[in-house]
Amino acid sequence: MARVFRSVAAAGTLAFPCGCLDGVPQPDGRADAAGPVVVPVGDILLEETDRSYLGNPTSLVVDTADGSFLVSDFMQGRIIRFGRDGRVVQGYGRPGEGPAEFRGIGLAFILNDSVVVGLDARRRLFKLFSREGGAYLESFQYRGSIHGAVSVVGGVVVAPSVELGEGFTSVLVWNPGEGSFRYLVDLPEPYMRSIRRNGPFAGTMPNGSVMAWADTLLVGMAAVNELVLATWGGEALDTIRPPGVRRRGVPANAQVKYDTDMSLSFLDRVEMMSNLNGIYRMSDGQAVLVHYDRTFRGEIPMVEWLADIYVTVLSADRRTACVDGSVPYANETRARLTVSRDTLFLLDRALNHTGDGLETRIRLYEIETSGCAWLPAA
């Protein structure tokens, strides 16, 4: 049976039309290359009350032990667990300055069958809670800025922890059992050029993505077209360049233009390029790359970030890619997504049927790859 994944799409205009990838012209006909077909397969309406209302979700995680969902919410300052039926099951943490409290909650993830972890992004702390009951356990300090999905392999945590001022690396490997932290994989050259000239590019595009296999890591940064295949020791083994067809991609001069062209408006900068938003491992060894073509609605500082979302499937040997399947969703507020057991889950918020409020659903998608045109990614 052919694989199916879901992707999310949002409105946006291309500020820098470019039929190229890092300056290399696209082969004739590649713009019509068939990508993944993203198909909805169901949705779950989440129960929201005064205590569980989702004001600004920062991450969505599937607990594979029972199929429930963890949603960390910045406005609530805590993690909320929803059952597979959408009902509230449990909360973890609360806003504040104490040991069990979050000053600014980031993403959440499952460490093991008894521990849930939430990031206090402002204090750079991993905060651990018991999965059942939600009791606070302990905290661990980390370096860098973590925005993307976390992998847990054999009890070891691999996170896209981007360091712009110390070490200039993009991956954190944390072994809770040993209490050890390692920082790996150098930042790409466009980021280093921006840091050297103290430009805004690196600071406003600090998001990284990483996916871990038993022997290798696949690492990318938000605003470059390349991925790095590396060892767990941080040694770069290969460079992978998934082509862009329907998404914006990253223009070859993006970093220079971003850092030096003072005529660019805020909207120009937002809509200049695609952003790699996540890398997810599939059961057959393939990987799913999620790119956001961002835009925004409103006026600063009251801005709502939106995005056209595209999914690319990278073959198990990492040599070819089926690119840029777009995802249908309401796109009325910022979407959060994850991939678990070959299904894409999207947290989608839209006006209810009476038009007087928002309702939140988790939408399930599959990605059909049987009709793909597999393009070189080396």
Side-chain angles (χ1 to χ4, degrees):
M1 179 177 177
R3 170 104 47 84
V4 178
F5 308 102
R6 283 281 183 229
S7 71
V8 180
T13 58
L14 183 55
F16 294 88
C18 180
C20 59
L21 179 65
D22 285 335
V24 180
Q26 296 185 358
D28 289 344
R30 193 173 80 172
D32 297 326
V37 178
V38 180
V39 182
V41 292
D43 65 78
I44 301 163
L45 178 64
L46 298 186
E47 173 189 31
E48 293 184 86
T49 65
D50 290 343
R51 285 282 295 158
S52 64
Y53 179 76
L54 299 176
N56 186 5
T58 52
S59 71
L60 169 66
V61 176
V62 180
D63 188 341
T64 56
D66 60 3
S68 61
F69 304 100
L70 297 178
V71 180
S72 52
D73 187 77
F74 188 83
M75 287 186 66
Q76 289 282 347
R78 63 183 188 136
I79 303 164
I80 304 172
R81 181 186 293 274
F82 295 91
R84 198 68 178 197
D85 59 1
R87 296 182 180 178
V88 176
V89 175
Q90 176 72 58
Y92 305 89
R94 58 186 178 271
E97 301 288 336
E101 298 171 339
F102 294 99
R103 187 188 296 174
I105 191 167
L107 59 85
F109 63 92
I110 308 293
L111 181 61
N112 53 46
D113 59 5
S114 61
V115 176
V116 167
V117 181
L119 270 64
D120 188 320
R122 291 183 180 172
R123 289 183 287 186
R124 298 183 180 179
L125 293 171
F126 292 119
K127 289 184 172 282
L128 279 59
F129 298 86
S130 63
R131 181 183 179 276
E132 302 297 332
Y136 169 74
L137 301 175
E138 56 184 327
S139 296
F140 295 87
Q141 190 85 52
Y142 65 86
R143 293 201 325 248
S145 175
I146 300 176
H147 294 285
V150 170
S151 300
V152 181
V153 180
V156 177
V157 175
V158 182
S161 182
V162 177
E163 294 192 291
L164 298 180
E166 181 180 1
F168 306 110
T169 55
S170 57
V171 176
L172 159 64
V173 177
W174 171 40
N175 188 325
E178 297 178 354
S180 63
F181 290 83
R182 293 185 295 132
Y183 298 86
L184 313 172
V185 187
D186 294 341
L187 289 173
E189 182 55 28
Y191 279 79
M192 294 306 301
R193 286 199 304 265
S194 181
I195 291 168
R196 286 193 291 268
R197 65 169 293 117
N198 197 29
F201 175 86
T204 55
M205 302 287 184
N207 296 18
S209 297
V210 61
M211 174 48 61
W213 283 264
D215 55 348
T216 52
L217 309 173
L218 188 60
V219 185
M221 287 295 295
V224 293
N225 284 318
E226 297 181 345
L227 304 171
V228 174
L229 184 69
T231 67
W232 277 67
E235 178 188 359
L237 301 173
D238 200 1
T239 300
I240 298 163
R241 299 179 178 88
V245 171
R246 284 162 287 274
R247 69 178 183 270
R248 292 173 190 156
V250 180
N253 64 342
Q255 175 265 319
V256 174
K257 202 166 182 63
Y258 206 105
D259 281 343
T260 63
D261 188 347
M262 296 301 103
S263 69
L264 291 177
S265 69
F266 178 68
L267 179 60
D268 290 335
R269 295 175 190 275
V270 167
E271 297 189 342
M272 181 186 293
M273 66 194 85
S274 298
N275 286 260
L276 179 65
N277 195 261
I279 307 172
Y280 301 92
R281 184 178 57 190
M282 308 309 297
S283 60
D284 59 4
Q286 294 182 334
V288 175
L289 315 177
V290 177
H291 288 89
Y292 279 34
D293 282 6
R294 300 187 304 166
T295 187
F296 72 91
R297 180 174 57 205
E299 299 293 335
I300 299 174
M302 301 301 293
V303 170
E304 180 60 49
W305 294 96
L306 307 176
D308 289 325
I309 304 176
Y310 295 93
V311 195
T312 288
V313 181
L314 189 65
S315 63
D317 64 6
R318 308 177 184 102
R319 295 299 174 189
T320 59
C322 175
V323 304
D324 297 351
S326 66
V327 195
Y329 77 115
N331 195 29
E332 294 179 6
T333 60
R334 185 185 313 191
R336 299 296 182 185
L337 60 80
T338 189
V339 176
S340 178
R341 292 182 174 172
D342 294 2
T343 299
L344 191 151
F345 298 84
L346 171 70
L347 194 69
D348 191 10
R349 308 189 71 208
L351 286 172
N352 57 27
H353 68 280
T354 60
D356 59 358
L358 289 172
E359 62 182 18
T360 306
R361 294 179 182 272
I362 294 177
R363 302 194 185 278
L364 287 64
Y365 302 86
E366 295 179 345
I367 300 175
E368 176 62 57
T369 60
S370 59
C372 280
W374 291 89
L375 304 177

